[in-house]
Amino acid sequence: INMDLLHSNGVLIIQHLQRDYRAYQDFLNFMSHVGDPRNIFSIYFPLWFQLNQVVGTKMIWVAVIGDWFNLIFKWILFGHRPYWWVQETMIYPNQSSPCLEQFPITCETGPGSPSGHAMGSSCVWYVMVTAALSYTVRWKHKSAVTLHRLTWSFLWSIFWIIQISVCISRVFIATHFPHQVVLGVFAGILVAEAFEHTPAIQTASLRMYIKTNLFLFIFALGFYLSLKLLDIDLLWSVPKAKKWCANPDWINIDTTPFAGLVRNLGALFGLGLGINSEMFITSCKGKNSCRISFRILCVAASLATLQLYNFVKIPTHTEYLFYILSFCKSAAMPLTVVALVPYCVHSLMRTTAKKLN
């Protein structure tokens, strides 16, 4: 009954947002995209990795482990999503269930609690803000202390504005209840804070990356199968999504629980492969790596190359093929940023330098 009360109050908030903030629809849809965990690999990571490899590496670990915890929590909490809950609940008398509007990005197929967008967004922005502030902590002058305080206030304000906007956008499109996004934000901060105290990830060998990947995969699969034996289907939310989504075309295999898992494991594997490759050691540990021009070229080339990956559409008709190709595509992204692009830029600069000499 308490959950029904929480959900019905959540529905009132969604209705209020959809009715009174209709004018901000484009902005709120945009904020949902800002919070999309997939942006971490295609935008935030390439930018930060070339500026600071320690932060870039931490970002992928935090994103992957955070999203993995998100999946496990979703499976444990069995959270409903508003757009199907209003259709199925019995608390509204004689067929008077409230009308919630749906959007092309509403129909997520996984369970709703905690919000993956809110969790992914808060853990990555937490890493970025703490990384930026670690630079200002080193300022020792009297005036610098004031500047550090101002920077601190400014960056954390930006952090909370972004998190609140992402949360409101997820509630506005009726894909989450308010309590689910709040839970997501705080869970994300906890994961990011835990990684502030794990320096071991910076020196992890390829073997360590593979072991971590296997552990995450086997644990998630084992958890899924053992509950299936108890007759608990952890993919219970997928048929609900298909049944109550206003437009069947809005259902995306990309949002199923296992799709996210495969994508994350691919990214972590690609990072491990890249960081432990000869290409990375030659280019990013070489004398060019200190040059600003080298880093800027790497950022530009990485971002441009990763945009091309968006045009690679993975066939979705066979589920297993989709998962295998999704893993490969996700692994290719960090590998491109960490090893391929810097190596090509490094080789170009070396050739140019030889010609000039």
Side-chain angles (χ1 to χ4, degrees):
I1 284 298
N2 285 350
M3 280 316 281
D4 279 345
L5 190 66
L6 195 60
H7 285 144
S8 56
N9 283 328
V11 167
L12 292 174
I13 293 171
I14 296 167
Q15 285 182 302
H16 165 66
L17 287 173
Q18 289 190 347
R19 190 179 56 241
D20 298 348
Y21 293 89
R22 157 81 44 220
Y24 302 103
Q25 183 186 328
D26 292 341
F27 169 72
L28 291 170
N29 278 340
F30 169 72
M31 285 314 294
S32 248
H33 290 299
V34 169
D36 191 331
R38 282 169 286 203
N39 288 337
I40 297 166
F41 306 122
S42 58
I43 298 170
Y44 304 141
F45 169 67
L47 276 172
W48 273 95
F49 188 80
Q50 307 302 350
L51 294 173
N52 185 328
Q53 285 160 11
V54 172
V55 180
T57 306
K58 189 196 293 177
M59 191 176 278
I60 292 249
W61 276 88
V62 165
V64 169
I65 303 293
D67 213 45
W68 183 82
F69 271 119
N70 182 263
L71 173 70
I72 302 297
F73 283 147
K74 277 182 168 160
W75 279 349
I76 293 170
L77 294 173
F78 281 84
H80 288 279
R81 289 185 186 271
Y83 74 93
W84 75 58
W85 182 83
V86 287
Q87 307 284 354
E88 297 198 337
T89 180
M90 293 298 178
I91 69 163
Y92 297 108
N94 57 26
Q95 268 64 55
S96 65
S97 63
C99 177
L100 295 182
E101 193 179 340
Q102 295 183 21
F103 301 87
I105 50 175
T106 296
C107 301
E108 302 242 338
T109 53
S113 189
S115 159
H117 277 64
M119 195 164 164
S121 169
S122 72
C123 69
V124 167
W125 280 92
Y126 189 90
V127 168
M128 292 198 278
V129 169
T130 47
L133 286 174
S134 68
Y135 284 109
T136 64
V137 172
R138 299 171 196 156
W139 301 339
K140 290 283 184 281
H141 304 293
K142 205 56 154 207
S143 58
V145 174
T146 321
L147 194 57
H148 170 68
R149 281 185 189 147
L150 281 171
T151 315
W152 190 93
S153 309
F154 174 71
L155 289 178
W156 283 117
S157 303
I158 294 233
F159 172 85
W160 283 110
I161 289 168
I162 288 170
Q163 301 327 312
I164 291 164
S165 305
V166 168
C167 289
I168 291 173
S169 78
R170 302 305 287 166
V171 174
F172 173 83
I173 60 170
T175 200
H176 283 297
F177 288 104
H179 68 277
Q180 297 172 341
V181 288
V182 173
L183 196 61
V185 168
F186 289 105
I189 291 173
L190 281 174
V191 171
E193 183 53 41
F195 273 92
E196 293 293 315
H197 311 286
T198 43
I201 57 170
Q202 299 300 337
T203 51
S205 60
L206 182 57
R207 198 162 165 195
M208 175 70 181
Y209 276 92
I210 292 170
K211 276 184 181 167
T212 308
N213 252 355
L214 283 172
F215 169 77
L216 296 177
F217 179 69
I218 290 165
F219 187 97
L221 192 64
F223 190 71
Y224 170 75
L225 293 173
S226 49
L227 283 182
K228 200 166 182 154
L229 286 174
L230 296 171
D231 228 21
I232 299 169
D233 180 20
L234 290 178
L235 299 180
W236 60 274
S237 57
V238 181
K240 282 189 193 296
K242 287 179 175 165
K243 183 178 178 185
W244 296 113
C245 185
N247 182 342
D249 297 341
W250 294 348
I251 295 279
N252 194 340
I253 189 173
D254 238 14
T255 64
T256 56
F258 279 112
L261 179 69
V262 169
R263 203 168 44 235
N264 287 315
L265 296 182
L268 193 62
F269 179 67
L271 177 70
L273 219 63
I275 278 188
N276 292 288
S277 68
E278 280 302 316
M279 284 183 177
F280 170 74
I281 292 160
T282 309
S283 51
C284 294
K285 299 282 182 202
K287 57 176 184 285
N288 267 339
S289 63
C290 303
R291 294 187 188 169
I292 297 290
S293 55
F294 172 75
R295 291 184 178 190
I296 289 171
L297 276 171
C298 285
V299 168
S302 299
L303 288 172
T305 315
L306 291 186
Q307 292 320 305
L308 297 177
Y309 281 125
N310 291 339
F311 296 109
V312 180
K313 290 288 175 253
I314 299 172
T316 53
H317 49 79
T318 323
E319 217 165 317
Y320 291 112
L321 180 69
F322 170 80
Y323 290 143
I324 293 165
L325 293 177
S326 186
F327 180 88
C328 296
K329 181 181 171 181
S330 300
M333 292 172 87
L335 190 58
T336 304
V337 174
V338 172
L340 298 176
V341 167
Y343 186 73
C344 295
V345 172
H346 171 76
S347 306
L348 266 174
M349 288 176 89
R350 211 173 51 191
T351 321
T352 321
K354 274 184 186 167
K355 278 181 183 167
L356 290 174
N357 290 337

